[in-house]
Amino acid sequence: MSASRGLSLWRLARAAPRTVSLAKPSYSAPRVLPLATQTLTYPSPRRLLSSQTNSDPPGFGSIPPRQEPESNQVSAEIPDSDATDDATSDPELTSDPEMTSDSDSSWSESSELDEPSVVLEAALGRVPALGWTPAALEEGARDMGLTHVVEDMFPRGGGELVDYFDTVCNSDLVEFLKQRAEEDGVKLLEEAVEHRLRMIIPHVNNWPQAMALKAFPVNAPTALENLGLLVDDMWYYAGDRSTDFSWYTKRGLLATIYTSTEVFMVQDTSVDFQETWKFLHRRMEDANTFGKASKEFQGLVSGGVDTFSAGLNAALNACGMKGR
Amino acid sequence: MEGQGRVIVCDASEQMVDAGRERTWNAGIVGGIDWLVGDAEALPLPARSVDACTIAFGIRNLTRIERALAEARRVLRPGGRFLCLEFSSRPPAGIERLYNAYSFAVIPLLGAAVTGQRDAYAYLVESIRRFPPPELLASMMGDAGFGGVRVRPLSAGIATLHSGWRI
């Protein structure tokens, strides 16, 4: 059996072509736009705000200043996604008439370089349909004219996409807070939390999946770091400059408020999430009037004694351990 | 789509391509693989036509490694991945003397005994020693236009896997 099978395979193979035929494509290839590079780890929120990136990790060569990818131009240039999927998944070798050798050299002269956050940004557009998954990253890469293999650049998959989304939203929030720095502190906190949570609304249907991803051990450290930076930014622009223990209690309290409101929001079905904002308002009122840290909440500028050290002093006095 | 990928195998020697083809057919795989005879420093493929490019235990045989890297970059689509598996030029830490003794004394003799070609295996060992160390190859990949270059030692440092994305 194996001999005859081998013989028939041999005959089949003898008829096979030795080289590959180059077929002409039947679609117009997606254009790859020149993009600036960045490091493989994404920038912290403050770096996103500046357009100068100066650190050059080995292997990336020189990094020109980050340019905004023109999203309007991209949407006009992207061909129909179905046709693109067929074409890029088509295993036939295609010789692209647009990308001949002279245009290839012009690409290499210009800054035809990849930027990981470009893939992430395009993948966000695919999240409503595909969720926070590597599939969204693959489709986002295809939308930008890249090959789906670039999805391997993100080993944590959906977790990295959520992390990027949080980073971008946090930096947008900072812009919002900078414009409102003059206002009353506690009121600004509530507006800041509402503004930040409203950024989730386009993805609110998939947000439980994102929250679950953030709980995974691989994603939890960066998720906690993002939350910490978020509440720190909110308190800073609300006017807090404390340097004592109340720094921690304030941020911990705000993080609790933010997270509980977020959880409430994903199951809220009211119009424009009005119930969520009422929930938030109630939590802020609670923090204002009750609780150990209410004194810090009301006194935004530290300069006096916070409750922790007041309590400690009182206890020491009661024990007679403090000096006269 | 899993199982639907296409592979193009390219080698400089026609006998190697024939041998590979026969082995593949004997393993029962008749479709999905295209066979090319070509030079890694001048690949017979159009620009931006492949999603991933791999070379295993072959790059040290090339005279100009930069050319091979540039060719890989040329044929890769943006975002495509390049992977290079190669012996480490430096022996693993701690067993250097044993490794050197084994390489220079035992391997050529074994090669002579099994295949009758002692010189080929002496060349093998020497070409491993002449190959750039992993960090140098990683920086060469960076210069050639690959980003996110990662170096991964395998088999306790005997082999190294370099990977990068075409940017």
Side-chain angles (χ1 to χ4, degrees):
Chain A
M1 184 260 300
S2 63
S4 64
R5 182 156 165 257
L7 198 59
S8 59
L9 282 177
W10 175 249
R11 288 209 185 98
L12 190 65
R14 291 293 292 176
R18 188 180 294 277
T19 56
V20 172
S21 65
L22 306 177
K24 292 287 177 189
S26 56
Y27 67 100
S28 65
R31 279 194 47 210
V32 178
L33 305 172
L35 304 161
T37 56
Q38 282 209 359
T39 61
L40 200 59
T41 59
Y42 12 121
S44 66
R46 280 157 193 90
R47 278 184 68 189
L48 270 177
L49 299 178
S50 75
S51 59
Q52 314 294 329
T53 57
N54 294 321
S55 60
D56 292 358
F60 264 93
S62 68
I63 301 178
R66 181 170 182 262
Q67 301 153 10
E68 284 303 311
E70 287 106 356
S71 45
N72 301 333
Q73 203 171 344
V74 164
S75 55
E77 294 283 359
I78 293 175
D80 183 53
S81 57
D82 293 331
T84 311
D85 286 348
D86 291 338
T88 53
S89 62
D90 186 88
E92 288 288 324
L93 265 191
T94 56
S95 112
D96 189 348
E98 287 182 73
M99 310 286 185
T100 54
S101 56
D102 51 345
S103 68
D104 188 48
S105 63
S106 74
W107 279 124
S108 61
E109 279 157 16
S110 68
S111 60
E112 195 245 282
L113 299 162
D114 217 354
E115 188 178 36
S117 50
V118 164
V119 178
L120 293 164
E121 190 68 46
L124 284 180
R126 292 288 190 163
V127 163
L130 299 169
W132 303 92
T133 56
L137 286 166
E138 281 190 17
E139 291 303 316
R142 289 204 179 100
D143 288 344
M144 296 304 293
L146 307 169
T147 172
H148 65 282
V149 172
V150 76
E151 178 262 322
D152 285 339
M153 214 189 265
F154 309 102
R156 290 186 287 129
E160 296 211 29
L161 195 49
V162 176
D163 192 10
Y164 173 78
F165 179 70
D166 276 343
T167 308
V168 169
C169 289
N170 289 354
S171 63
D172 289 345
L173 180 71
V174 168
E175 293 300 318
F176 169 81
L177 288 172
K178 275 184 182 169
Q179 293 159 12
R180 315 278 285 267
E182 311 303 315
E183 295 182 10
D184 167 39
V186 175
K187 184 164 158 296
L188 181 59
L189 281 181
E190 189 176 331
E191 284 182 13
V193 173
E194 179 179 335
H195 187 88
R196 177 62 178 84
L197 286 172
R198 278 189 184 275
M199 296 182 198
I200 298 174
I201 289 178
H203 299 291
V204 71
N205 291 326
N206 285 324
W207 200 246
Q209 182 190 15
M211 294 199 297
L213 280 170
K214 285 201 269 191
F216 281 18
V218 284
N219 299 320
T222 43
L224 284 175
E225 184 188 337
N226 283 335
L227 181 62
L229 289 171
L230 172 70
V231 295
D232 185 29
D233 282 333
M234 286 191 201
W235 266 114
Y236 181 84
Y237 288 101
D240 175 51
R241 299 289 182 276
S242 59
T243 51
D244 54 2
F245 193 76
S246 69
W247 190 94
Y248 295 94
T249 54
K250 282 173 184 157
R251 278 140 187 84
L253 192 58
L254 187 57
T256 312
I257 295 173
Y258 176 85
T259 315
S260 57
T261 315
E262 188 187 15
V263 171
F264 186 95
M265 187 171 155
V266 294
Q267 54 82 45
D268 185 15
T269 53
S270 62
V271 175
D272 193 39
F273 298 91
Q274 286 302 320
E275 293 301 315
T276 305
W277 314 134
K278 288 182 194 164
F279 176 89
L280 172 63
H281 187 72
R282 289 196 297 274
R283 297 287 79 73
M284 298 295 275
E285 298 245 315
D286 288 350
N288 246 347
T289 50
F290 302 120
K292 276 194 297 191
S294 65
K295 218 168 155 90
E296 286 82 35
F297 224 79
Q298 285 164 351
L300 288 179
V301 179
S302 118
V305 175
D306 67 338
T307 50
F308 178 78
S309 58
L312 188 60
N313 274 330
L316 287 174
N317 274 327
C319 300
M321 288 175 70
K322 285 206 72 122
R324 299 290 169 265
Chain B
M1 212 59 62
E2 269 205 39
Q4 309 255 326
R6 277 287 274 265
V7 175
I8 305 165
V9 178
C10 179
D11 196 279
S13 142
E14 196 175 317
Q15 288 94 336
M16 285 288 270
V17 170
D18 280 343
R21 254 196 324 191
E22 287 199 33
R23 286 195 186 188
T24 312
W25 296 330
N26 290 336
I29 304 165
V30 283
I33 305 183
D34 294 322
W35 302 88
L36 283 182
V37 179
D39 186 4
E41 296 175 15
L43 285 172
L45 292 168
R48 296 165 187 242
S49 51
V50 298
D51 291 316
C53 179
T54 69
I55 181 164
F57 299 121
I59 201 167
R60 73 174 185 283
N61 297 319
L62 303 173
T63 322
R64 287 170 289 252
I65 298 170
E66 307 83 27
R67 286 260 200 99
L69 296 176
E71 276 294 291
R73 185 183 189 270
R74 183 184 66 86
V75 302
L76 276 171
R77 293 200 178 102
R81 200 167 183 189
F82 172 71
L83 295 131
C84 169
L85 175 66
E86 195 46 77
F87 286 111
S88 308
S89 59
R90 281 192 303 260
I95 63 169
E96 187 164 338
R97 294 183 62 167
L98 180 62
Y99 185 81
N100 285 337
Y102 182 79
S103 303
F104 289 107
V106 178
I107 289 181
L109 288 178
L110 275 180
V114 172
T115 65
Q117 293 176 11
R118 184 186 186 284
D119 291 341
Y121 288 86
Y123 162 77
L124 168 76
V125 173
E126 284 160 19
S127 69
I128 295 173
R129 294 293 183 282
R130 278 194 57 247
F131 192 63
E135 301 80 24
L136 182 55
L137 181 60
S139 72
M140 285 163 71
M141 282 173 68
D143 293 338
F146 293 98
V149 178
R150 297 177 192 169
V151 177
R152 193 169 138 199
L154 300 170
S155 299
I158 294 176
T160 313
L161 182 64
H162 288 79
S163 77
W165 279 270
R166 191 254 204 223
I167 56 175

